[in-house]
Amino acid sequence: MSRNLIIFTDSGDTIIDEGTQIFDERGIVVSADPIPGAGEVLRQLKEEGYRIALVADGAWESFQNVYRENGLADCFEEWIVSETVGEQKPARAMFDAAMEKMGLTEAHKPFIVMIGNNLSRDVAGANRYGITSVWLDWSPRYFHTPQEPDWQPDYRVKTPEELRLLIRQLEEGCVRKRELADRIACKIHRMAEAFSKILYEPDDSFLKNMEGHNLAGDDISRYRFWEWTQGVGLFGLWKLYSYEKKDSYLEILKAYYDRQIETGFPALNVNTAAPYLAMSFLAEHTGEERYMGPCVEAAEEIMASFPRTKEGGFQHRTSDSVNEGELWDDTLYMTVLFLANMGRILKNEEMKAEAEYQFLLHEKYLCDKASGLWYHGWSFLEESNFAGAFWGRGNCWITMAIPEYLAMDVCSRPVRRMLRNALRAQIEGLRRHQAENGMWHTLIDDSDSYVEASATCGFAYGILKAVKDGLVEKSCLEAAARAVEPILGCITKDGVVEQVSYGTPMGRVSKEFYKGIERKPMPYGQALAILFLMEYRTML
């Protein structure tokens, strides 16, 4: 019978006793004996229906010799060996190769276990990759005390027999995981189906306002489906494609951008920069100039002519509002992530440096050092944070933007440390204010304001990604997990996410302003729910 659990395993001192290895003059292992009981357990697991891959550092010929001699070669469905991959664990490439050869996706990660003897390679590699780590602490060789946080294994066993019992326990847990994963997958599928319709629903209120407030004076039809609301949604769809590799999602993205290329792009501002983020990833993935060209032009325009505040911040100028001298927390997600990604793709150091500076400047003026939460905005003209609101969705852009930015690996180590600390402080503040039902309020610190789905999903996704990327401790997972059931309850049978606050301008005088924002389905609501549930499914 087939099993839910998928096994990646190291070789030396995990299956084979390194102390028995015999080498030839080339340094190739010609023979070695299994650890007592390891061969029998490996064979038994294979016969019980577990899929097993060898993921080991060493020479291909050595492993062939050893496992052929011991009659265990057929226990492995695939062989992933550092000599052929070109890197050693804990490198991500080793695990990527295993996933590819085994035909696995991100959705399989909760069901994969990596077994090994080396804390710094096997355990750290598995932890960084987001799969379950098991330390077989049998050998006296190598490390026996975790020296880094990500060297801490999820499980520790001393013998192959203990490992066999653990595998059976993990398999039992996989049954429960599978039930929840299937339920979540169904919701994601329905949300993705509903996404296309919502993506092309015109925002009549916005378009009506643009008739008299179009700052650029260009063709309003170009803004019809090209604003921050679509931009966030498209990035969510790109992430979904990256996780599941379904061509249908890629085709939705291509069709959207092909349509806009035909229509023409609206004038560039903080909000109309947002759809370029997913487009930049699409361009990199496909290698097609029709997508990359507009991205290059937009990034260069941001660098050359975006309006600035004092100290060189990106002024939050939108399609219909000047917002002179104002920094808003939305800007980092809507514009700066795109600029940073283009800096990475183009290897443009000036773009990378500008993105780094914008993160630092926004943190300086928007982050409340006492609570760790972020204000919606800052005015250099008034020298104030307006109404002083800790707005939910505004904060979620930060919880999401920092891990996404750091994953691009385009900033200096000191800035990385500063942003990591800011993220940790914010998440601690969020944990203190999480509502009893697991959601967050649209005003984070005001329990009289309504609970809001898009912010809740953004917080939970950002927390999950931060844990997966080693930016915060695993104890933070509990807060994200508490949000699952209430968010599933916000998704209709047709896949539409409800309890989402409409696009929200600055509350300039009173925090009460935020409580009156209407709730309606929006593309970003779909995207943030997809991101959250998709990420959670990989970390069950």
Side-chain angles (χ1 to χ4, degrees):
M1 60 178 295
S2 61
R3 301 287 179 169
N4 289 297
L5 192 68
I6 299 164
I7 299 171
F8 293 175
T9 181
D10 186 37
S11 179
D13 285 347
T14 305
I15 301 172
I16 299 299
D17 180 352
E18 291 187 358
T20 67
Q21 293 179 140
I22 298 175
F23 297 86
D24 66 13
E25 66 280 0
R26 299 171 298 156
I28 299 296
V29 180
V30 293
S31 68
D33 297 327
I35 293 170
E40 292 80 359
V41 169
L42 181 64
R43 172 63 64 188
Q44 185 176 23
L45 293 174
K46 173 65 175 178
E47 291 174 351
E48 290 178 0
Y50 290 97
R51 300 179 65 190
I52 306 172
L54 181 71
V55 183
D57 297 329
W60 177 269
E61 187 178 347
S62 292
F63 296 119
Q64 289 289 315
N65 291 339
V66 168
Y67 289 105
R68 184 170 55 245
E69 176 190 47
N70 289 290
L72 298 172
D74 65 325
C75 291
F76 304 116
E77 180 177 329
E78 295 293 345
W79 302 56
I80 295 84
V81 177
S82 62
E83 181 185 42
T84 58
V85 173
E87 293 190 60
Q88 294 186 338
K89 291 170 294 180
R92 184 181 182 89
M94 287 288 286
F95 299 94
D96 282 341
M99 295 280 281
E100 182 178 357
K101 284 194 170 187
M102 298 281 279
L104 305 175
T105 68
E106 291 279 331
H108 290 96
K109 281 188 173 181
F111 307 98
I112 302 173
V113 59
M114 174 69 207
I115 305 161
N117 70 309
N118 193 305
L119 293 173
S120 66
R121 292 189 176 188
D122 303 308
V123 171
N127 288 342
R128 294 170 192 173
Y129 200 68
I131 59 179
T132 300
S133 59
V134 176
W135 179 31
L136 181 60
D137 183 18
W138 174 85
S139 169
R141 288 176 277 269
Y142 307 114
F143 304 99
H144 280 261
T145 302
Q147 297 181 9
E148 300 291 342
D150 59 9
W151 289 21
Q152 186 66 46
D154 293 314
Y155 299 94
R156 174 186 178 185
V157 293
K158 297 287 290 185
T159 66
E161 178 59 25
E162 286 184 24
L163 175 63
R164 183 183 66 82
L165 295 174
L166 174 62
I167 292 296
R168 289 184 175 177
Q169 293 172 12
L170 294 176
E171 175 64 23
E172 291 175 3
C174 281
V175 175
R176 295 186 292 274
K177 284 185 180 181
R178 178 64 66 189
E179 292 174 353
L180 180 56
D182 289 346
R183 182 180 170 207
I184 290 173
C186 181
K187 290 286 190 178
I188 291 174
H189 176 70
R190 289 178 180 174
M191 285 190 292
E193 285 186 332
F195 176 82
S196 293
K197 178 182 178 182
I198 295 174
L199 180 64
Y200 291 106
E201 282 186 356
D203 186 339
D204 293 332
S205 298
F206 167 73
L207 293 172
K208 182 67 175 177
N209 181 65
M210 282 288 285
E211 290 178 4
H213 300 87
N214 180 3
L215 296 181
D218 55 347
D219 187 349
I220 293 177
S221 68
R222 295 181 175 183
Y223 296 82
R224 188 174 177 84
F225 305 118
W226 187 279
E227 262 283 336
W228 74 269
T229 53
Q230 288 84 13
V232 175
L234 293 161
F235 184 62
L237 190 65
W238 166 255
K239 283 281 192 173
L240 186 57
Y241 168 72
S242 300
Y243 276 41
E244 297 193 356
K245 306 300 182 185
K246 289 185 178 179
D247 290 339
S248 59
Y249 299 145
L250 192 66
E251 292 307 313
I252 293 174
L253 289 166
K254 287 184 175 181
Y256 173 87
Y257 287 113
D258 290 344
R259 179 199 173 281
Q260 196 68 37
I261 290 170
E262 181 69 24
T263 301
F265 298 97
L268 192 65
N269 57 60
V270 165
N271 287 346
T272 58
Y276 286 105
L277 178 59
M279 193 180 188
S280 65
F281 282 104
L282 177 66
E284 182 182 33
H285 176 72
T286 63
E288 296 188 38
E289 178 59 26
R290 60 177 171 153
Y291 302 132
M292 184 59 75
C295 291
V296 172
E297 291 180 10
E300 291 177 345
E301 183 176 342
I302 290 171
M303 292 291 293
S305 59
F306 244 41
R308 307 281 181 137
T309 66
K310 289 182 180 178
E311 300 185 30
F314 285 161
Q315 179 173 307
H316 196 85
R317 180 185 174 99
T318 65
S319 303
D320 57 1
S321 300
V322 175
N323 300 322
E324 183 179 356
E326 295 179 10
L327 299 176
W328 291 23
D329 51 12
D330 318 32
T331 304
L332 294 178
Y333 199 88
M334 305 308 164
T335 297
V336 181
L337 280 183
F338 163 64
L339 185 65
N341 199 43
M342 289 303 294
R344 177 187 64 82
I345 293 171
L346 301 176
K347 297 180 174 58
N348 186 306
E349 296 303 319
E350 292 185 3
M351 291 180 183
K352 293 179 186 178
E354 186 63 47
E356 183 175 273
Y357 179 73
Q358 294 300 325
F359 266 92
L360 290 178
L361 188 67
H362 281 71
E363 191 275 341
K364 174 182 177 182
Y365 285 102
L366 300 183
C367 179
D368 174 55
K369 303 307 185 285
S371 67
L373 303 177
W374 289 50
Y375 295 106
H376 190 174
W378 164 265
S379 169
F380 280 100
L381 301 183
E382 299 177 8
E383 295 190 339
S384 76
N385 292 111
F386 300 103
F390 296 133
W391 174 45
R393 192 166 59 245
N395 266 265
C396 94
W397 300 135
I398 304 304
T399 323
M400 298 169 66
I402 291 177
E404 295 287 0
Y405 175 60
L406 296 182
M408 293 176 186
D409 197 23
V410 293
C411 71
S412 64
R413 291 182 65 184
V415 170
R416 182 180 184 88
R417 290 174 63 185
M418 290 185 67
L419 293 178
R420 180 180 180 180
N421 288 336
L423 180 64
R424 286 178 168 180
Q426 190 208 34
I427 290 174
E428 284 305 307
L430 292 174
R431 295 173 72 181
R432 288 193 295 271
H433 292 290
Q434 190 170 14
E436 288 186 7
N437 75 341
M439 295 180 70
W440 278 272
H441 295 273
T442 197
L443 286 172
I444 298 171
D445 58 344
D446 186 347
S447 60
D448 290 333
S449 64
Y450 57 80
V451 291
E452 202 275 325
S454 67
T456 295
C457 291
F459 291 143
Y461 169 73
I463 291 170
L464 290 172
K465 183 163 179 57
V467 171
K468 177 183 283 188
D469 292 351
L471 301 174
V472 298
E473 292 71 27
K474 285 188 176 181
S475 59
C476 296
L477 287 175
E478 186 269 340
R482 287 182 59 202
V484 173
E485 288 299 332
I487 289 300
L488 289 174
C490 290
I491 303 169
T492 70
K493 64 179 181 179
D494 297 322
V496 177
V497 182
E498 298 182 326
Q499 198 63 19
V500 174
S501 64
Y502 182 63
T504 306
M506 182 63 63
R508 297 182 178 274
V509 178
S510 171
K511 298 178 184 179
E512 294 297 310
F513 166 77
Y514 295 90
K515 298 181 182 180
I517 300 297
E518 68 173 313
R519 284 156 279 180
K520 61 183 296 186
M522 296 296 292
Y524 54 81
Q526 299 294 120
L528 296 179
I530 288 172
L531 284 169
F532 166 36
L533 294 178
M534 178 179 61
E535 196 70 43
Y536 183 73
R537 191 176 59 175
T538 72
M539 301 178 71
L540 288 172

